[in-house]
Amino acid sequence: MAIQLTRKIKAFVDISLAFEPNPVTGDLSVLTNERAINQSIRNIVETIPGEAAFNHNMGSNARAYMFEIIDDGTAGLLRNEIERSIQFNEPRVKLEDVVVEAQPADSQFVVNIRYEIVGYEQQFTVEFILDPTR
């Protein structure tokens, strides 16, 4: 008789920041697992420290790099800041790689973050654009 061990995977649930109610139930929309964590990562990167109520350490200084010269040097500094802020603010994530690509012609940085959710074996990716107009 073979014994098969299974592990219960923890689910992560966050409220969607769109705050749009479900048309059928009227409840707020929720995001689960990687969608919830993708939203969290993006919020951490785009939030200025001190901007979040009751959590003055949450956020990153990524906005400070938006008005610097858009080149590989600034992209490297931005990458370090994104890594630091995610490691400090998002305990559900184990960072695998952060790639920041400078696009001077478009005055923006393309950010690609690869991570694992703690307790999962699968890797996930979130990609977004940072530009000075947001």
Side-chain angles (χ1 to χ4, degrees):
M1 176 173 161
I3 298 174
Q4 183 177 7
L5 298 175
T6 59
R7 178 174 56 164
K8 185 177 180 182
I9 296 177
K10 186 174 181 179
F12 300 103
V13 180
D14 287 341
I15 296 173
S16 171
L17 293 181
F19 291 107
E20 295 175 358
N22 182 309
V24 176
T25 64
D27 294 337
L28 290 176
S29 300
V30 294
L31 302 174
T32 57
N33 298 333
E34 69 271 5
R35 289 184 61 214
I37 292 177
N38 286 350
Q39 175 180 280
S40 174
I41 288 172
R42 187 165 182 167
N43 288 340
I44 289 168
V45 172
E46 293 183 351
T47 299
I48 300 167
E51 187 176 24
F54 306 111
N55 190 354
H56 299 291
N57 295 321
M58 199 284 269
S60 77
N61 291 314
R63 287 279 154 222
Y65 296 103
M66 295 297 98
F67 297 98
E68 298 291 330
I69 297 171
I70 297 177
D71 62 2
D72 291 336
T74 306
L77 294 171
L78 183 57
R79 177 185 168 276
N80 292 341
E81 176 60 20
I82 290 170
E83 284 180 352
R84 183 207 58 80
S85 63
I86 292 171
Q87 289 171 346
F88 183 76
N89 291 295
E90 186 52 85
R92 302 176 290 183
V93 165
K94 178 184 170 220
L95 277 179
E96 294 296 324
D97 193 26
V98 176
V99 177
V100 178
E101 178 190 343
Q103 295 183 342
D106 296 324
S107 299
Q108 65 188 19
F109 293 97
V110 176
V111 179
N112 187 303
I113 301 170
R114 197 174 75 232
Y115 65 92
E116 285 183 15
I117 298 174
V118 174
Y120 286 51
E121 295 177 9
Q122 182 180 358
Q123 288 190 352
F124 301 96
T125 302
V126 60
E127 182 175 287
F128 53 91
I129 295 173
L130 292 176
D131 62 16
T133 59
R134 290 191 176 173

